[in-house]
Amino acid sequence: FRRNNEVLKTCDWIGLTSARRSNNCSIGNVIDNCPQACRLCCDDDEDFRVENDRGNLQQCKWLSREKVRRDRYCGETMFGALVTNKCGKSCSRCGPSSMPSIVPSPAPSLPVPTSNPSQSCRDNPAFRRNNEVLKTCDWIGLTSARRSNNCSIGNVIDNCPQACRLCCDDDEDFRVENDRGNLQQCKWL
C-alpha cells in the first residue's frame, strides 16, 4: 500500500508519528490497508524482527518476556517502522487505557471499547442496529462509510468490535471454503 501512490508513504511511514496517523488514518483506504500502523490492531506482526543491542534479530514475543526490553525497544524505530506498531501485543499497547482514538475531528472519534480486552474480541451475532433485521455487525463492517457512520456509536462499538476494526482477532466460528470444498478456519489461510 502507498498513500496517494507515493513511494515513500507506506503503512510504516504513516505509523511513525501521531501526526501522520491523525492526518491519514481517518481515510477509509488507509484504515483498510494499514490497521497496525493506525493502531486498530494489537497483534504482533509475525514477520517483523527487533534488532537487539547485540545485533541479533528477535521476534516481537521476545519483548514481552521482560519489562526492561519493552522499555528499551518499544519506542524505537527499526527498519522504517515504529516497534510498538509492529509489536503491539508484546509492547503492551493493547488495552483500554492505551487504545488511542485514531479518527481526528471533525470526523467522529472512535470511543475506547468498554469490554475487557483480554476477552475474545468478537462481534455479537444477535446485535441489530436500531433493531433493523439487516443491519448486523457484518453489514456495518462491509464498507468504510458504514463503519464511519456507525462505529462512533457506543452500543455499536461494544457489540461489533471486529466489524469496527478495533481488533484483529480471527472469528473462531468463521470458515473459508478451499478449492476442494473443505471448510477451514482462518488460521489455514
Side-chain angles (χ1 to χ4, degrees):
F1 175 79
R2 303 288 188 266
R3 172 88 167 94
N4 295 330
N5 293 319
E6 293 183 37
V7 175
L8 298 177
K9 292 187 177 181
T10 64
C11 292
D12 291 336
W13 178 87
I14 289 168
L16 280 177
T17 68
S18 60
R20 288 181 188 165
R21 287 189 301 275
S22 293
N23 290 332
N24 292 282
C25 288
S26 62
I27 300 163
N29 72 334
V30 174
I31 289 174
D32 292 343
N33 287 287
C34 306
Q36 279 187 310
C38 291
R39 296 189 175 184
L40 294 178
C41 287
C42 285
D43 292 341
D44 290 340
D45 182 336
E46 295 297 320
D47 297 323
F48 185 76
R49 298 294 184 263
V50 176
E51 185 176 6
N52 67 19
D53 290 334
R54 294 181 180 165
N56 298 324
L57 297 178
Q58 305 287 340
Q59 289 183 308
C60 292
K61 64 184 176 184
W62 174 79
L63 296 168
S64 66
R65 295 184 187 132
E66 294 182 25
K67 184 181 181 316
V68 68
R69 291 178 183 167
R70 289 188 301 277
D71 292 344
R72 165 69 179 90
Y73 296 103
C74 288
E76 295 291 317
T77 300
M78 291 191 182
F79 311 109
L82 195 59
V83 172
T84 194
N85 289 346
K86 294 291 191 173
C87 302
K89 183 176 180 180
S90 292
C91 285
S92 302
R93 185 174 49 78
C94 310
S97 63
S98 59
M99 281 286 288
S101 171
I102 55 96
V103 183
S105 296
S109 292
L110 295 176
V112 173
T114 58
S115 61
N116 183 340
S118 65
Q119 293 176 347
S120 176
C121 190
R122 298 180 63 186
D123 290 344
N124 177 355
F127 178 77
R128 301 294 184 269
R129 174 85 169 99
N130 295 332
N131 294 319
E132 293 183 37
V133 175
L134 298 177
K135 293 188 177 181
T136 63
C137 292
D138 289 339
W139 178 85
I140 289 168
L142 280 177
T143 68
S144 59
R146 288 181 188 167
R147 288 188 301 274
S148 293
N149 291 332
N150 292 283
C151 289
S152 61
I153 299 165
N155 72 331
V156 174
I157 208 164
D158 289 341
N159 284 285
C160 305
Q162 279 185 312
C164 291
R165 301 209 173 157
L166 289 179
C167 54
C168 293
D169 292 351
D170 290 339
D171 183 337
E172 304 254 340
D173 298 325
F174 183 78
R175 298 294 184 266
V176 177
E177 186 174 347
N178 67 17
D179 295 338
R180 294 182 178 156
N182 298 325
L183 297 177
Q184 304 287 337
Q185 288 184 312
C186 295
K187 62 185 175 186
W188 172 81
L189 296 170

